Every structure is written in C-alpha cells, then in structure tokens.
Amino acid sequence: MTAARGVLLCPITMGVLLQSLFILILLLLGSCLHPAAAFPKGCYPSEEEGLKTFRCSNAQLTEVPRDIPNDTNKLYLDFNQIPFLPRDAFRDLPLLLELDLSHNAITRIESGAFQGLAEHLHSLDLSSNRLVSVSKDAFSNLKTKVNLSNNPWLCDCRLQELIRAVELVADSSGGIVCDSSTQEEHVGKAFLQVIADTDFCNVYKKTTDIAMLVTMFGWFAMVISYLVYYVRQNQEDARRHLEYLKSLPSKQRRSEESSTISTVV
C-alpha cells in the first residue's frame, strides 16, 4: 500500500515541478520582452553600421515618443504627423548623432527643444514640414548640419538671423524658398538668392527709424502749433487792451499804459 502511494505521488511531484519550471520560463521571457512592448506601435530598435538605431518612420505619431532607449545614436521620426517640438523633447538622448524629423506637420519649435543634443548631434533633418518662422534661439549651441528645405517660409529678418545662426546641409539651401515675404516681389524665390541683394534686418531697422522720425516730427509740429497759437492769442489780447486804453481819458490812459508796459516787461 505504501509502495503504491509512493508510485502515485512521484508523477504528481514531477508534474508540479514541471509546471513551476514552465511558469518561471514564462516570467523570464516576459521580463526580457517587456521593454519592446513599451515602444509605440510601428517603432522598433535596430543596429545599423554599429550604431544603435530607433525607427518610428510612418508610425502615425502625433508627438515625440517617450521611452526611446537613451543609448540611441540614430533616431528616425520621419513621415508622421508631429505638429510641434516642445522644450526638452530629446533631453534623455545624450548620445544622439542623427535626428530625422522630415515629412511631419511641424509648425512650431519651442526654445530648448534640442537642449542636451549640442555635444554629439551632427545631422538634423527638418525638411518637408510646415515651418513658417522659427527663432534662432531654438537652435542655440547646436553645431549640427540642418536641413530646412521644403517649408512654407516667411522671408523676413527672423529667417535671415536663423540662416546665419545654423550650418545648412550641403545642397539644401536651394530648397529654402519664400512662400511669403515682407516684400511681395520675393515670393517664390530662393531665400539665399534674395538676401544676396536684400538685407531684411537693415530694411526693418530703416523702417523703424523712419517711423520714429515721423512720430517725433508729429510731436514737434504739435508743440510749434501750440506755441504759435499761444503767441497769437496773447497778441490779440494785448491789442484789445491797447485799444481799450486809447479810448480812456489821457491821464488815466498814460497811467494804465505804463502799468501795461511794466507788466509786459
């Protein structure tokens, strides 16, 4: 009876052990696969030419994804619907060398959006977005080459300052075209071609100076007009008083005339 019970318990014990081992294996696999499961749909890590790459191309993203591995060297966020880049959007990616944001819907880049990337980043693609005007401060301290082509740029002093502050990717400057401009005749022309003959910042300064001069002249004219009016009014009052004095008897008139003369003096 005892022997039979031992034979019966042995398979049960083996079954429990096998079940426990199977559960342990599943837990280990789950912990290994967990980081990948945290990635947004359509994003995946890879290695290209020895560089750690994270691809989110055409993943229907509407913002810069979080949980990007912080050892990423190349980040592809192209062909999405990202509308703007907030401050510190890439602050946890200190080893990033290349950043592709082309073919999105970016209209605004906040100051500090690329903060933390100055040391390593050498390629930044912002082509084919919806950028109209961007402050040069958004690219502060960056030493990377930037592609700004195929955006609906407003050609003005702000764009001129931006172009002078960044290093453009070779052969991309021809794609920076004036979609609108402070001067209508520049629309449709390449911006670098336009600024070869026009200094937008000097034009703006001259316009401001002229406006200030016109304002000052207006105030000066008002002061002169008031002074002329005041003098004429006083002259009219003095003339009336003298005529009144002439109508008085001679002795009283001389006394009041001398009084009037002293008052005028």
Side-chain angles (χ1 to χ4, degrees), residues 17-31:
L17 288 174
L18 287 174
Q19 186 178 6
S20 300
L21 183 62
F22 180 71
I23 292 172
L24 181 61
I25 291 172
L26 286 178
L27 289 173
L28 289 173
L29 286 174
S31 64

Side-chain angles (χ1 to χ4, degrees), residues 76-96:
Y76 292 88
L77 300 174
D78 51 319
F79 290 95
N80 285 290
Q81 291 97 43
I82 299 172
F84 80 102
L85 302 178
R87 183 178 178 84
D88 295 325
F90 307 98
R91 66 178 178 179
D92 296 325
L93 302 173
L95 302 179
L96 199 61

Side-chain angles (χ1 to χ4, degrees), residues 182-240:
T182 52
Q183 300 181 36
E184 191 65 28
E185 64 270 19
H186 298 146
V187 175
K189 294 182 180 178
F191 185 67
L192 292 191
Q193 175 188 346
V194 170
I195 60 173
D197 302 317
T198 304
D199 189 332
F200 284 95
C201 296
N202 275 347
V203 168
Y204 175 77
K205 186 175 182 301
K206 287 177 181 177
T207 303
T208 305
D209 290 344
I210 290 171
M212 288 180 65
L213 285 172
V214 169
T215 303
M216 290 174 64
F217 178 78
W219 279 106
F220 183 73
M222 287 176 63
V223 171
I224 294 298
S225 299
Y226 176 77
L227 288 174
V228 169
Y229 169 79
Y230 180 80
V231 170
R232 286 182 177 177
Q233 191 68 26
N234 283 349
Q235 285 179 343
E236 185 65 23
D237 289 343
R239 185 183 63 78
R240 287 202 205 96

Side-chain angles (χ1 to χ4, degrees), residues 21-212:
L21 183 62
F22 180 71
I23 292 172
L24 181 61
I25 291 172
L26 286 178
L27 289 173
L28 289 173
L29 286 174
S31 64
C32 292
L33 294 174
H34 177 70
F39 298 149
K41 184 179 179 181
C43 300
Y44 61 91
S46 65
E47 190 164 324
E48 300 177 7
E49 300 176 351
L51 296 175
K52 293 187 177 181
T53 303
F54 193 75
R55 286 191 175 273
C56 289
S57 302
N58 200 19
Q60 299 182 353
L61 299 176
T62 56
E63 62 180 3
V64 176
R66 301 176 182 179
D67 300 321
I68 299 172
N70 57 15
D71 60 350
T72 298
N73 303 127
K74 299 169 73 174
L75 177 59
Y76 292 88
L77 300 174
D78 51 319
F79 290 95
N80 285 290
Q81 291 97 43
I82 299 172
F84 80 102
L85 302 178
R87 183 178 178 84
D88 295 325
F90 307 98
R91 66 178 178 179
D92 296 325
L93 302 173
L95 302 179
L96 199 61
L97 301 174
E98 297 181 19
L99 176 56
D100 190 346
L101 290 159
S102 63
H103 298 89
N104 273 280
I106 300 171
T107 58
R108 181 165 57 93
I109 301 175
E110 291 186 356
S111 180
F114 304 111
Q115 190 169 319
L117 300 182
E119 190 172 345
H120 294 95
L121 192 69
H122 64 70
S123 177
L124 173 59
D125 195 344
L126 287 164
S127 63
S128 301
N129 276 281
R130 299 176 186 173
L131 295 171
V132 175
S133 184
V134 178
S135 170
K136 65 178 181 178
D137 296 336
F139 299 87
S140 180
N141 299 322
L142 281 183
K143 300 174 184 177
T144 181
K145 293 183 178 179
V146 185
N147 188 345
L148 298 172
S149 61
N150 299 321
N151 282 281
W153 291 109
L154 165 64
C155 291
D156 60 0
C157 179
R158 202 178 194 201
L159 179 58
Q160 182 171 314
E161 289 180 339
L162 172 62
I163 297 300
R164 287 175 176 173
V166 301
E167 182 181 356
L168 297 176
V169 172
D171 301 324
S172 70
S173 59
I176 303 174
V177 177
C178 300
D179 187 71
S180 57
S181 176
T182 52
Q183 300 181 36
E184 191 65 28
E185 64 270 19
H186 298 146
V187 175
K189 294 182 180 178
F191 185 67
L192 292 191
Q193 175 188 346
V194 170
I195 60 173
D197 302 317
T198 304
D199 189 332
F200 284 95
C201 296
N202 275 347
V203 168
Y204 175 77
K205 186 175 182 301
K206 287 177 181 177
T207 303
T208 305
D209 290 344
I210 290 171
M212 288 180 65

